[in-house]
Amino acid sequence: MPKQKDLDLTKEDLFQSLIRSLPGLFILFDIEGRIHWWNTRLEQYTGYTREQIKSMSVLDLLDEQNKEIVEKKIKDTFHQGETNLELNIEKSDGSKQVFLLTGVPVVLKGGDFIIATGIDITSKEEARLNNIIDEKNTLLEETHHRIKNNLTTVISLLNMQSDQVKDEHVKNMFNDNVNRVKSMSMIHEMLYEQGDYTKIDFKPYVKKLFRHLASMYQTQDISIESHVDDNLYLDIKQSIPCSLIINELTSNAFKHGCQGQEKCIIKISLTRENGMNKLVVFDNGKGLIDINKKTSLGMSLIKGLTQQLGGEWDVQQENGTSFIIKFQT
């Protein structure tokens, strides 16, 4: 077997070869963060040219969220030795990649430096975040499904007890509470069905609630009109109190506003303008509720729920009664 020819490699040749062969980033910078040496992968990953990197600090490669963290880590590395961290490196076009970086302090020509090596873990981080999102969505889906089922059970129990009550006044109280629970149950049902657990489209919700209330109360000729702006979404914190207010006002319009009317008209509108939501429930009768009874359960609920929304309410009586509630998005 022929003898291999001796290689004439200088330390600098070997150093350059090792740096080029690294699968990830290699950056040499001083305690002030100034970059003194790097491999071509830094240019490939970030999109910065060699001339640009010459005048850059290592902090210039980071997004704002990570700059303060790295500044502290640079100082810690000189005192504690090796440092490992995950952070976002910002590319020249503003996009970001996630890197797992290892920093090691070194002394070169009497100066303090850090050698940082890093590998791109963007795809792994995206997969991890997607798994977290999937797990969260599954949990939220199960939560809303269970809440809906539990509320349905409560409704069934109330209906069973209502069937055993002879007193009409007490029976009506049971029915009122059934409708209140039903209005909340519908919110969780729609959140579960639409698969978006952060907000709910109120246009289909109001139509569904109206159909339910009409089936409960419509014993005479009643004209029902509703208008909700397209794409009017409320988050879960606003959806529940708003749904209860709509249920309370509409139920009272059916029960009280329509009394003695040959042709009863009930209108509901929910509109949005300049970040302000405006809910109006109108009937052409003598009034949605007895407004003078300020201690009534209906008024107490409406006032308390309006407070939850951070809104304000008003009543206008002209050719009927309009109950108006305004609240911010």
Side-chain angles (χ1 to χ4, degrees), residues 230-242:
D230 291 332
N231 300 316
L232 196 153
Y233 289 87
L234 296 180
D235 62 30
I236 186 67
K237 290 182 180 179
Q238 291 182 314
S239 294
I240 296 296
C242 190

PDB file of all heavy atoms in Angstrom, residues 230-242:
ATOM      1  N   ASP A 230     -73.024  42.349   9.869  1.00  0.00           N
ATOM      2  CA  ASP A 230     -72.205  41.221   9.430  1.00  0.00           C
ATOM      3  C   ASP A 230     -70.853  41.260  10.141  1.00  0.00           C
ATOM      4  O   ASP A 230     -70.301  42.333  10.409  1.00  0.00           O
ATOM      5  CB  ASP A 230     -71.981  41.271   7.920  1.00  0.00           C
ATOM      6  CG  ASP A 230     -73.256  41.000   7.132  1.00  0.00           C
ATOM      7  OD1 ASP A 230     -74.130  40.288   7.661  1.00  0.00           O
ATOM      8  OD2 ASP A 230     -73.376  41.518   6.003  1.00  0.00           O
ATOM      9  N   ASN A 231     -70.344  40.079  10.424  1.00  0.00           N
ATOM     10  CA  ASN A 231     -69.016  39.944  11.042  1.00  0.00           C
ATOM     11  C   ASN A 231     -68.883  40.716  12.346  1.00  0.00           C
ATOM     12  O   ASN A 231     -67.829  41.294  12.638  1.00  0.00           O
ATOM     13  CB  ASN A 231     -67.917  40.383  10.063  1.00  0.00           C
ATOM     14  CG  ASN A 231     -67.907  39.570   8.793  1.00  0.00           C
ATOM     15  OD1 ASN A 231     -68.017  38.350   8.827  1.00  0.00           O
ATOM     16  ND2 ASN A 231     -67.802  40.234   7.656  1.00  0.00           N
ATOM     17  N   LEU A 232     -69.965  40.743  13.113  1.00  0.00           N
ATOM     18  CA  LEU A 232     -69.886  41.366  14.433  1.00  0.00           C
ATOM     19  C   LEU A 232     -69.563  40.268  15.438  1.00  0.00           C
ATOM     20  O   LEU A 232     -70.415  39.459  15.792  1.00  0.00           O
ATOM     21  CB  LEU A 232     -71.206  42.057  14.787  1.00  0.00           C
ATOM     22  CG  LEU A 232     -71.121  43.059  15.956  1.00  0.00           C
ATOM     23  CD1 LEU A 232     -72.206  44.129  15.821  1.00  0.00           C
ATOM     24  CD2 LEU A 232     -71.237  42.388  17.306  1.00  0.00           C
ATOM     25  N   TYR A 233     -68.314  40.247  15.866  1.00  0.00           N
ATOM     26  CA  TYR A 233     -67.833  39.206  16.770  1.00  0.00           C
ATOM     27  C   TYR A 233     -67.631  39.784  18.171  1.00  0.00           C
ATOM     28  O   TYR A 233     -67.183  40.913  18.330  1.00  0.00           O
ATOM     29  CB  TYR A 233     -66.504  38.634  16.273  1.00  0.00           C
ATOM     30  CG  TYR A 233     -66.625  37.789  15.025  1.00  0.00           C
ATOM     31  CD1 TYR A 233     -66.577  38.372  13.758  1.00  0.00           C
ATOM     32  CD2 TYR A 233     -66.789  36.406  15.110  1.00  0.00           C
ATOM     33  CE1 TYR A 233     -66.689  37.602  12.610  1.00  0.00           C
ATOM     34  CE2 TYR A 233     -66.894  35.621  13.971  1.00  0.00           C
ATOM     35  CZ  TYR A 233     -66.842  36.229  12.726  1.00  0.00           C
ATOM     36  OH  TYR A 233     -66.952  35.464  11.586  1.00  0.00           O
ATOM     37  N   LEU A 234     -67.967  38.973  19.165  1.00  0.00           N
ATOM     38  CA  LEU A 234     -67.685  39.317  20.551  1.00  0.00           C
ATOM     39  C   LEU A 234     -66.869  38.192  21.163  1.00  0.00           C
ATOM     40  O   LEU A 234     -67.079  37.019  20.848  1.00  0.00           O
ATOM     41  CB  LEU A 234     -68.980  39.498  21.348  1.00  0.00           C
ATOM     42  CG  LEU A 234     -69.913  40.639  20.925  1.00  0.00           C
ATOM     43  CD1 LEU A 234     -71.143  40.666  21.828  1.00  0.00           C
ATOM     44  CD2 LEU A 234     -69.210  41.983  20.967  1.00  0.00           C
ATOM     45  N   ASP A 235     -65.933  38.552  22.053  1.00  0.00           N
ATOM     46  CA  ASP A 235     -65.171  37.499  22.718  1.00  0.00           C
ATOM     47  C   ASP A 235     -66.024  36.857  23.810  1.00  0.00           C
ATOM     48  O   ASP A 235     -67.131  37.309  24.114  1.00  0.00           O
ATOM     49  CB  ASP A 235     -63.843  38.033  23.269  1.00  0.00           C
ATOM     50  CG  ASP A 235     -64.030  39.109  24.332  1.00  0.00           C
ATOM     51  OD1 ASP A 235     -65.048  39.089  25.051  1.00  0.00           O
ATOM     52  OD2 ASP A 235     -63.152  39.984  24.445  1.00  0.00           O
ATOM     53  N   ILE A 236     -65.502  35.806  24.414  1.00  0.00           N
ATOM     54  CA  ILE A 236     -66.285  35.018  25.373  1.00  0.00           C
ATOM     55  C   ILE A 236     -66.673  35.845  26.589  1.00  0.00           C
ATOM     56  O   ILE A 236     -67.748  35.674  27.160  1.00  0.00           O
ATOM     57  CB  ILE A 236     -65.507  33.740  25.788  1.00  0.00           C
ATOM     58  CG1 ILE A 236     -66.369  32.825  26.663  1.00  0.00           C
ATOM     59  CG2 ILE A 236     -64.208  34.112  26.478  1.00  0.00           C
ATOM     60  CD1 ILE A 236     -67.541  32.225  25.959  1.00  0.00           C
ATOM     61  N   LYS A 237     -65.808  36.810  26.991  1.00  0.00           N
ATOM     62  CA  LYS A 237     -66.109  37.633  28.163  1.00  0.00           C
ATOM     63  C   LYS A 237     -67.293  38.548  27.918  1.00  0.00           C
ATOM     64  O   LYS A 237     -68.028  38.888  28.845  1.00  0.00           O
ATOM     65  CB  LYS A 237     -64.876  38.460  28.561  1.00  0.00           C
ATOM     66  CG  LYS A 237     -63.749  37.643  29.149  1.00  0.00           C
ATOM     67  CD  LYS A 237     -62.586  38.539  29.564  1.00  0.00           C
ATOM     68  CE  LYS A 237     -61.449  37.715  30.155  1.00  0.00           C
ATOM     69  NZ  LYS A 237     -60.300  38.573  30.544  1.00  0.00           N
ATOM     70  N   GLN A 238     -67.469  38.974  26.661  1.00  0.00           N
ATOM     71  CA  GLN A 238     -68.597  39.839  26.329  1.00  0.00           C
ATOM     72  C   GLN A 238     -69.817  39.043  25.881  1.00  0.00           C
ATOM     73  O   GLN A 238     -70.951  39.496  26.054  1.00  0.00           O
ATOM     74  CB  GLN A 238     -68.194  40.818  25.218  1.00  0.00           C
ATOM     75  CG  GLN A 238     -67.187  41.880  25.648  1.00  0.00           C
ATOM     76  CD  GLN A 238     -66.876  42.844  24.530  1.00  0.00           C
ATOM     77  OE1 GLN A 238     -66.639  42.436  23.394  1.00  0.00           O
ATOM     78  NE2 GLN A 238     -66.871  44.123  24.835  1.00  0.00           N
ATOM     79  N   SER A 239     -69.584  37.873  25.305  1.00  0.00           N
ATOM     80  CA  SER A 239     -70.681  37.094  24.726  1.00  0.00           C
ATOM     81  C   SER A 239     -71.713  36.676  25.766  1.00  0.00           C
ATOM     82  O   SER A 239     -72.923  36.780  25.524  1.00  0.00           O
ATOM     83  CB  SER A 239     -70.130  35.845  24.026  1.00  0.00           C
ATOM     84  OG  SER A 239     -69.350  36.191  22.914  1.00  0.00           O
ATOM     85  N   ILE A 240     -71.245  36.192  26.915  1.00  0.00           N
ATOM     86  CA  ILE A 240     -72.178  35.686  27.926  1.00  0.00           C
ATOM     87  C   ILE A 240     -73.073  36.795  28.475  1.00  0.00           C
ATOM     88  O   ILE A 240     -74.316  36.674  28.439  1.00  0.00           O
ATOM     89  CB  ILE A 240     -71.429  34.962  29.061  1.00  0.00           C
ATOM     90  CG1 ILE A 240     -70.722  33.708  28.536  1.00  0.00           C
ATOM     91  CG2 ILE A 240     -72.389  34.601  30.196  1.00  0.00           C
ATOM     92  CD1 ILE A 240     -71.640  32.631  28.008  1.00  0.00           C
ATOM     93  N   PRO A 241     -72.516  37.926  29.001  1.00  0.00           N
ATOM     94  CA  PRO A 241     -73.411  38.975  29.501  1.00  0.00           C
ATOM     95  C   PRO A 241     -74.302  39.557  28.412  1.00  0.00           C
ATOM     96  O   PRO A 241     -75.476  39.859  28.661  1.00  0.00           O
ATOM     97  CB  PRO A 241     -72.458  40.038  30.080  1.00  0.00           C
ATOM     98  CG  PRO A 241     -71.124  39.728  29.540  1.00  0.00           C
ATOM     99  CD  PRO A 241     -71.100  38.266  29.276  1.00  0.00           C
ATOM    100  N   CYS A 242     -73.776  39.697  27.176  1.00  0.00           N
ATOM    101  CA  CYS A 242     -74.590  40.242  26.096  1.00  0.00           C
ATOM    102  C   CYS A 242     -75.738  39.292  25.753  1.00  0.00           C
ATOM    103  O   CYS A 242     -76.871  39.737  25.519  1.00  0.00           O
ATOM    104  CB  CYS A 242     -73.724  40.492  24.863  1.00  0.00           C
ATOM    105  SG  CYS A 242     -74.565  41.423  23.566  1.00  0.00           S
TER     106      CYS A 242
END
